Amino acid sequence: MSESNSVLVGQKPAMNYVLACITLFHSGAKEINVKARGRAISRAVDVVEILRRRFLPDVKIKSVGIGTQQLPATNQPGATTNVSTIEIVLTKG
Amino acid sequence: MSESNSVLVGQKPAMNYVLACITLFHSGAKEINVKARGRAISRAVDVVEILRRRFLPDVKIKSVGIGTQQLPATNQPGATTNVSTIEIVLTKG
């Protein structure tokens, strides 16, 4: 899957990312990768649920994966901190 | 799967729920259901990642499911509000 079909969910309102997904599907994408890390994980789930229940009921969840990413710690140079990640793959039939 | 093997993740520190999972597996559970809703979803992912990476590396993620739950709205009687949910099924080989 091309990286251009990814939506990285951050701190903006969920509806911004819902609209990004709708735009991608309307422009012909068959598969979208919704990704988030840390506190934004709950928002990524909200985005997918709003998208499927309110806007595009024919979108299916292909897979949900969780993982851990190591990031450089902001307060200590050289140290790393772990952050949880989620990746939800959506397909439109 | 029996309901007793569920861990419902809420607002306490992630380590509390990690310990609950370890206790369940040590008492012989083969499968544990880690559930959360709303803002606690990110913490549920943290719990599973801490459990697998730091304590029980042989625990596998069997499935991750997301969904929506309708709750009665707290401010308007009769109205409902939607909350996202996650359910992560863990197995120990």
Side-chain angles (χ1 to χ4, degrees), chain B residues 1-2 4-5 20-32 56 90-93:
Chain B
M1 205 200 55
S2 96
S4 59
N5 287 342
C21 291
I22 293 173
T23 308
L24 276 173
F25 275 129
H26 278 316
S27 68
K30 296 280 173 235
E31 198 167 297
I32 296 181
L56 300 173
L90 301 175
T91 55
K92 196 159 175 257

Side-chain angles (χ1 to χ4, degrees), chain B residues 1-82:
Chain B
M1 205 200 55
S2 96
E3 198 60 28
S4 59
N5 287 342
S6 286
V7 172
L8 182 62
V9 176
Q11 300 306 315
K12 293 179 196 163
M15 200 52 71
N16 294 33
Y17 306 105
V18 174
L19 288 173
C21 291
I22 293 173
T23 308
L24 276 173
F25 275 129
H26 278 316
S27 68
K30 296 280 173 235
E31 198 167 297
I32 296 181
N33 236 351
V34 179
K35 298 178 188 183
R37 58 190 190 195
R39 296 280 81 80
I41 288 175
S42 354
R43 187 168 293 121
V45 176
D46 290 343
V47 167
V48 171
E49 287 297 307
I50 293 169
L51 180 73
R52 291 181 63 220
R53 288 175 184 267
R54 211 186 303 172
F55 297 102
L56 300 173
D58 55 337
V59 166
K60 302 271 176 278
I61 297 168
K62 187 181 172 190
S63 67
V64 184
I66 64 175
T68 301
Q69 203 176 4
Q70 284 205 333
L71 296 176
T74 47
N75 46 357
Q76 283 175 287
T80 58
T81 178
N82 291 323

Side-chain angles (χ1 to χ4, degrees), chain A residues 34 44-53 61 88 90, chain B residues 66:
Chain A
V34 178
V45 176
D46 290 343
V47 166
V48 171
E49 287 298 307
I50 294 169
L51 181 73
R52 291 182 62 221
R53 291 180 182 265
I61 297 167
I88 306 169
L90 302 175
Chain B
I66 64 175

Side-chain angles (χ1 to χ4, degrees), chain A residues 32-45:
Chain A
I32 296 181
N33 236 351
V34 178
K35 299 178 184 181
R37 58 190 190 196
R39 296 279 82 78
I41 288 176
S42 359
R43 186 168 294 121
V45 176

Side-chain angles (χ1 to χ4, degrees), chain A residues 9 36 45 58 64:
Chain A
V9 176
V45 176
D58 57 336
V64 184

